[in-house]
Amino acid sequence: MVELPHFLIVSVALFVLGFVGVILRRNLIVVLMSIELMLNGVNLSFVAFSRYLGDIQGQVAGFFVIVLAAAEAAVGLAIIILIFRRRGSVQTTRLTDLKDEIHAA
Amino acid sequence: MMTPMQDLAFAALSGIVIAAGCLIAFSRNLVYSAFALLGAFVGVAGYFVLLGADFVAVIQLLVYIGGIMVLYLFAVLMTSGIGDVTLTNRSIATKASAPLCIVLIILLGKLIYTTEWYVAAEPTEIAPTTAAIGNALLTEYLLPFELASVLLLGTLVGTVALARRGVKVIKKS
């Protein structure tokens, strides 16, 4: 029998995988993809709660999360394209201009 | 509450979604990650169907797969040599971040198992949700709804302004 905690476990799995991607990966595009994964995980728990509480509000929240994710992806990818045009690379390891030069070495 | 068929669907979806998530987080090839993202979106849309959230499932398909996915594919194909696998190699930060991830898993897992989740005694019948969501959006959630539309307008203008090439000004002499 599939119950609420099962959905929450999948939701947590998605969130943690996204989190791992955000900290481990060094490619800005993959970092953004991982953020999408985290948002999807949270959305899943919203909708699961909505179902098991018999309340529509969770689905409304999920709807707003999707809207925000779309805006975030559009702006984020535009910024990535700009960085690529200027630097020829989207590796986070090369974007260290704000780092203190003494410690950068 | 759920039939064995639905249990089976849940298991299959879990397999798809978690495999896709692992591929996104750990695959060294950017293109694999991008297509795994597609799998994750489809899987989550499947969960929404399973949960009786028809409207959100369709929106997920339209916005994520029709819009966001295409954007990501464009970005992946525009910014990197596809053959260059070493582009996305993992970093040295692994040692420092592994404990952080483990702590996160333990915390969230404990949260799920120790909380007594309140569940409605009789789960509601699966019914079309569009009308209810529309009502909520135009009454209780009117302000967030309008803010979201302003946000989308700002995003539209901002993205175009960011990503376009510089406009050449032709001087008349």
Side-chain angles (χ1 to χ4, degrees):
Chain A
M1 286 296 277
V2 178
E3 293 291 342
L4 178 61
H6 297 94
F7 284 101
L8 294 182
I9 289 168
V10 176
S11 164
V12 164
L14 279 181
F15 188 85
V16 171
L17 282 172
F19 184 75
V20 169
V22 169
I23 20 185
L24 279 192
R25 302 304 294 273
R26 285 297 167 263
N27 187 306
L28 271 182
I29 297 180
V30 181
V31 170
L32 261 190
M33 284 182 196
S34 303
I35 292 176
E36 297 290 345
L37 201 62
M38 291 168 84
L39 285 171
N40 261 291
V42 174
N43 237 350
L44 179 60
S45 65
F46 266 132
V47 175
F49 278 123
S50 164
R51 169 89 183 107
Y52 283 97
L53 293 177
D55 190 337
I56 202 71
Q57 297 196 13
Q59 292 187 28
V60 176
F63 173 77
F64 282 121
V65 171
I66 292 177
V67 171
L68 288 181
E72 170 250 326
V75 174
L77 288 171
I79 292 173
I80 287 177
I81 298 277
L82 275 188
I83 291 173
F84 183 76
R85 246 185 233 158
R86 197 156 292 192
R87 305 289 186 96
S89 156
V90 286
Q91 301 296 102
T92 49
T93 42
R94 299 208 191 149
L95 304 174
T96 52
D97 290 358
L98 288 179
K99 204 171 183 177
D100 187 354
E101 279 186 13
I102 300 167
H103 297 105
Chain B
M1 216 169 359
M2 286 220 175
T3 64
M5 199 64 192
Q6 284 168 317
D7 286 357
L8 203 66
F10 180 86
L13 285 173
S14 304
I16 292 173
V17 162
I18 290 179
C22 289
L23 207 54
I24 294 169
F26 300 119
S27 164
R28 293 186 172 215
N29 192 327
L30 202 54
V31 182
Y32 289 172
S33 289
F35 280 101
L37 192 66
L38 181 69
F41 288 161
V42 174
V44 173
Y47 279 126
F48 291 164
V49 172
L50 203 59
L51 286 164
D54 53 350
F55 181 72
V56 183
V58 172
I59 292 291
Q60 166 97 1
L61 281 179
L62 280 179
V63 174
Y64 270 113
I65 295 165
I68 296 180
M69 200 53 226
V70 175
L71 267 184
Y72 273 104
L73 280 179
F74 266 115
V76 166
L77 296 179
M78 278 175 77
T79 56
S80 64
I82 306 171
D84 195 355
V85 183
T86 56
L87 261 179
T88 60
N89 59 344
R90 269 190 273 168
S91 78
I92 5 149
T94 317
K95 279 176 196 156
S97 52
L100 204 59
C101 299
I102 292 170
V103 167
L104 186 69
I105 293 174
I106 292 173
L107 265 182
L108 291 175
K110 204 169 161 51
L111 180 77
I112 289 179
Y113 278 108
T114 52
T115 312
E116 288 185 11
W117 299 106
Y118 172 77
V119 173
E122 288 282 314
T124 44
E125 288 290 306
I126 291 185
T129 55
T130 318
I133 289 179
N135 273 331
L137 279 181
L138 288 182
T139 53
E140 200 175 345
Y141 290 94
L142 186 60
L143 182 64
F145 183 66
E146 294 297 335
L147 284 179
S149 65
V150 173
L151 172 84
L152 284 179
L153 178 67
T155 308
L156 190 70
V157 176
T159 309
V160 172
L162 273 179
R164 68 171 183 177
R165 301 220 177 242
V167 177
K168 281 182 185 172
V169 180
I170 302 169
K171 283 182 184 171
K172 286 180 182 175
S173 55

